Amino acid sequence: MSDPETDTEESLFQAPPLAEQERMVEALLFASSEPMSTREMEARMPHGCDAAEALVLLRRRYEGRGVTVTRVGDAWAIRTAADLGFLMSRETVETRKLSRAAVETLAIIAYHQPVTRAEIEEIRGVSVSRGTVDQLIEMEWVRFGRRKMTPGRPVTYVVTQGFLDHFGLESARDLPGLKELRSAGLLDSRPPPGLMPGPGGEDDLSELDDGPDNDGQDELFGE
C-alpha cells in the first residue's frame, strides 16, 4: 500500500504537461533579448522539464508563420521569417561600415577559425593592427578561442554567437561560398589569397576574375 505522504512529495516534483512546457519555452524566447540555450531555459523552468522536447513542438507550431524558432549556435531565438526580412528594412537602414581591413580580418576568422593573429597576417599578406581585432571584439562578433598547442601557445580567434545571430546563421558551416557571394553582388573583386577556402571548380579563388578593388564586399559585414 502506497504512503500518501510519499505520493504527495513525488507529485511536488512532477513536470508540467509538455504542452505547458512548450508555452514556457515560447514565453522565455519572446522575452529574451538574446538567444537562449536549452540549459538556460530549464534553469528557469520547473523541475523535470525538457526544454529540447518542448522546442520540437514549438518549432513545428511556428512552421510557415511570420516568425520562426531559429537555432543560433548552441542557443535558440524567435526571429522574423527569412522571406519577410524585407519588411524590416526601415529598422535596419542605418548601418556602420567596417574598414576593408576589418572586413577581411572578420572573413578570415569566420572561414578559418580557430585562427591566430600570425595566421591572419599570413593569409592577408599584411600585418593586422590591434585596433582592427579590438573593434571586432568590441562589436561582439569575434572572441578569443583556445590557445593553440604550438610554441608560445598563441591565442586564437573565433566568431561569436552574436555574429551568427546577426547574419541569420545556425553555425559557421552555413557561411556562403564564393559563388553565392558573387551571385549576390557582394564579391566583385579578387580577395586576398586564402581569404576564403574553396573546394575547387567554380568556388575556387583561382577562378575569380581580376578586377579593380571594390568596396561592395563591405556590405556583407556592415553592422
Side-chain angles (χ1 to χ4, degrees), residues 124-165:
R124 287 195 67 217
V126 295
S127 62
V128 178
S129 70
R130 183 176 298 274
T132 297
V133 177
D134 287 345
Q135 179 188 8
L136 297 175
I137 292 176
E138 288 173 5
M139 293 174 64
E140 297 184 349
W141 280 4
V142 168
R143 65 176 177 82
F144 294 113
R146 294 183 178 180
R147 289 186 177 275
K148 203 159 189 178
M149 300 300 291
T150 56
R153 298 290 305 280
V155 69
T156 62
Y157 300 97
V158 297
V159 293
T160 66
Q161 183 172 283
F163 168 85
L164 298 176
D165 191 22

Side-chain angles (χ1 to χ4, degrees), residues 22 54-63 69-71 76 170:
E22 179 190 354
L55 273 166
V56 172
L57 295 181
L58 189 63
R59 294 188 77 186
R60 192 176 302 157
R61 182 183 298 275
Y62 276 92
E63 286 180 356
V69 180
T70 305
R71 184 167 188 168
W76 298 86
E170 285 192 14

Side-chain angles (χ1 to χ4, degrees), residues 27-188:
L28 286 170
L29 293 182
F30 261 120
S32 177
S33 59
E34 301 291 337
M36 294 184 70
S37 66
T38 54
R39 180 176 297 181
E40 291 172 327
M41 294 180 208
E42 289 176 356
R44 294 171 177 261
M45 298 167 70
H47 178 80
C49 286
D50 188 337
E53 190 172 357
L55 273 166
V56 172
L57 295 181
L58 189 63
R59 294 188 77 186
R60 192 176 302 157
R61 182 183 298 275
Y62 276 92
E63 286 180 356
R65 302 296 297 274
V67 293
T68 60
V69 180
T70 305
R71 184 167 188 168
V72 182
D74 295 326
W76 298 86
I78 291 180
R79 294 288 182 261
T80 303
D83 61 323
L84 298 179
F86 70 94
L87 296 173
M88 307 297 117
S89 59
R90 291 191 176 183
E91 284 73 28
T92 59
V93 164
E94 294 186 7
T95 60
R96 179 159 60 94
K97 296 291 185 65
L98 292 176
S99 67
R100 189 178 187 84
V103 170
E104 293 175 355
T105 300
L106 180 59
I108 291 170
I109 295 172
Y111 282 91
H112 294 269
Q113 64 176 335
V115 61
T116 66
R117 180 187 293 271
E119 290 168 338
I120 295 172
E121 292 177 343
E122 181 179 359
I123 293 171
R124 287 195 67 217
V126 295
S127 62
V128 178
S129 70
R130 183 176 298 274
T132 297
V133 177
D134 287 345
Q135 179 188 8
L136 297 175
I137 292 176
E138 288 173 5
M139 293 174 64
E140 297 184 349
W141 280 4
V142 168
R143 65 176 177 82
F144 294 113
R146 294 183 178 180
R147 289 186 177 275
K148 203 159 189 178
M149 300 300 291
T150 56
R153 298 290 305 280
V155 69
T156 62
Y157 300 97
V158 297
V159 293
T160 66
Q161 183 172 283
F163 168 85
L164 298 176
D165 191 22
H166 184 89
F167 292 104
L169 305 171
E170 285 192 14
S171 71
R173 292 188 297 272
D174 297 317
L175 285 165
L178 294 181
K179 180 179 179 180
E180 294 170 287
L181 295 180
R182 286 190 301 177
S183 64
L186 296 171
L187 189 64
D188 298 327

